[in-house]
């Protein structure tokens, strides 16, 4: 009598389509699985074929990350994730889900959300200059999102001194503390107002006002126009935004203008006066 070999039990995927949603590069969803067999089964991954040839290579399917252990005779719903191209534009994308041993692919719908992300290199700028000076620094701006980004023409840096709030409060107490809280607070408010400085302006160089496509970058420069009213020998800190990228500024105000070498005074040739005797 011939031995009859039974086929190994496979996990079963429900007939409902799998919806994966999120902003690139990671989409999330919930997958329904059932185990009709008598042994515990586990699933670590599955394959997703996208029907859009621009974002899905038919020869290289995307891998759906799954971490499921299903007991015999049980059904579960497990979270799953799918990594996609970070530049994939917002919209709906159709696909098919394939699991080893299951000859019936399931419908998949990808709902890609808008993702705006910008990176600036360097992320921090250390400046040294006189009040009213213009300082130019090279920079690179990259679009890491999945929608176009317009490089701004200018930005503002709100500058403030380190520990100025605490220092000015102590100064106000020392001057007016003996006259009561109201007098000290009035003095503090006056000191804070006097210590405020205008914002520095950041002028973007090459590429300003142009559109940067997802995955592209621009080499440019930032010119920092320092306000005239800055205290010398002081350090100021601030930040400015390029898109959603936050850049920090550390400014040290110079004491005096750098010395300009001067040419030595010209030496006049000596003159000799001739006298005659009479």
């Amino acid at each position: 009598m011939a031995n009859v070999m039974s086929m190994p039990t496979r996990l079963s995927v429900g007939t409902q389509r799998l919806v994966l949603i999120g902003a690139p590069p990671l989409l999330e969803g919930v997958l329904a699985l059932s185990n009709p067999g008598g042994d515990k089964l586990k699933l670590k991954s599955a394959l997703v074929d996208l029907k859009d040839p621009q974002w899905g290579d038919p020869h290289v399917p995307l891998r759906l990350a799954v971490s499921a252990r299903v007991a015999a005779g049980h059904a579960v719903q497990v979270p799953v994730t799918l990594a996609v191209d970070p530049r994939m534009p917002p919209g709906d994308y159709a696909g098919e889900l394939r699991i080893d041993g299951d000859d019936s692919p399931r419908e998949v719908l990808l709902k890609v959300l808008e993702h705006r992300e910008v990176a600036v290199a360097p992320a921090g700028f250390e400046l040294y200059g006189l009040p009213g000076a213009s300082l130019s620094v090279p920079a690179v701006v990259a679009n890491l999102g999945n929608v176009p980004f317009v490089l701004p023409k200018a930005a503002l840096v709100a500058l403030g001194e380190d520990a100025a709030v605490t220092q000015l409060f102590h100064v106000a107490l020392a001057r007016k503390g003996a006259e009561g809280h109201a007098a000290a607070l009035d003095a503090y408010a006056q000191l804070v107002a006097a210590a405020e400085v205008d914002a520095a302006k950041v002028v973007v160089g090459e590429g300003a006002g142009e559109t940067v496509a997802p995955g592209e970058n621009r080499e440019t420069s930032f010119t920092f126009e320092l306000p005239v009213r800055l205290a010398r020998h002081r350090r100021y800190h601030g930040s400015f935004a390029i898109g959603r990228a936050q850049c920090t500024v550390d400014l040290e105000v110079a004491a005096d203008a750098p010395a300009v070498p001067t040419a030595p005074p010209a030496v006049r040739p000596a003159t000799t006066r001739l006298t005659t005797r009479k």
Side-chain angles (χ1 to χ4, degrees):
M1 182 176 180
N3 293 328
V4 177
M5 301 294 293
S6 61
M7 296 296 292
T9 306
R10 299 289 185 181
L11 286 171
S12 175
V13 181
T15 57
Q16 187 176 6
R17 73 179 180 183
L18 172 63
V19 178
L20 299 167
I21 186 170
L26 199 64
L27 309 186
E28 300 174 308
V30 177
L31 178 64
L33 296 171
S34 61
N35 181 2
D39 299 320
K40 178 186 290 187
L41 298 176
K42 63 180 180 179
L43 180 66
K44 292 185 178 180
S45 65
L47 298 178
V48 173
D49 293 313
L50 288 184
K51 296 181 180 179
D52 189 326
Q54 182 177 359
W55 302 105
D57 187 341
H59 304 291
V60 184
L62 302 178
R63 187 165 296 277
L64 184 73
V66 188
S67 181
R69 294 178 180 271
V70 187
H74 284 70
V76 297
Q77 296 199 46
V78 295
V80 293
T81 58
L82 182 71
V84 298
D85 192 310
R87 303 167 300 168
M88 196 171 188
D92 293 352
Y93 300 84
E96 290 184 340
L97 171 68
R98 292 188 288 111
I99 295 180
D100 288 343
D102 191 342
D103 297 330
S104 302
R106 299 295 187 267
E107 182 184 359
V108 177
L109 177 63
L110 275 60
K111 288 185 171 291
V112 179
L113 304 180
E114 181 179 287
H115 176 54
R116 295 182 179 274
E117 184 178 356
V118 177
V120 177
F125 297 85
E126 297 183 358
L127 307 176
Y128 179 83
L130 287 167
S134 292
L135 309 174
S136 184
V137 182
V140 175
V141 180
N143 184 357
L144 305 182
N146 66 343
V147 291
F149 163 73
V150 177
L151 186 61
K153 296 181 179 180
L156 294 177
V157 185
L159 297 173
E161 292 187 66
D162 283 342
V165 173
T166 304
Q167 294 173 356
L168 294 177
F169 183 72
H170 287 303
V171 172
L173 284 180
R175 292 180 180 178
K176 296 292 185 177
E179 301 178 18
H181 295 297
L185 290 176
D186 288 342
Y188 173 66
Q190 293 174 6
L191 290 172
V192 170
E196 289 182 351
V197 297
D198 295 333
K201 185 177 182 180
V202 185
V203 179
V204 181
E206 184 177 355
E210 296 180 359
T211 298
V212 183
E216 294 185 355
N217 61 63
R218 287 288 186 276
E219 295 182 21
T220 185
S221 63
F222 295 157
T223 299
F224 295 85
E225 298 179 355
L226 305 184
V228 175
R229 193 166 66 90
L230 290 173
R232 298 175 188 250
H233 288 295
R234 298 287 183 85
R235 295 183 70 103
Y236 295 88
H237 294 277
S239 63
F240 64 98
I242 299 294
R244 295 193 175 184
Q246 288 291 326
C247 304
T248 60
V249 175
D250 184 356
L251 169 63
E252 181 179 356
V253 182
D256 296 297
V260 178
T262 57
V267 178
R268 298 178 61 184
T271 57
T272 303
R273 179 179 293 178
L274 299 178
T275 60
T276 58
R277 292 183 180 178
K278 295 183 179 179

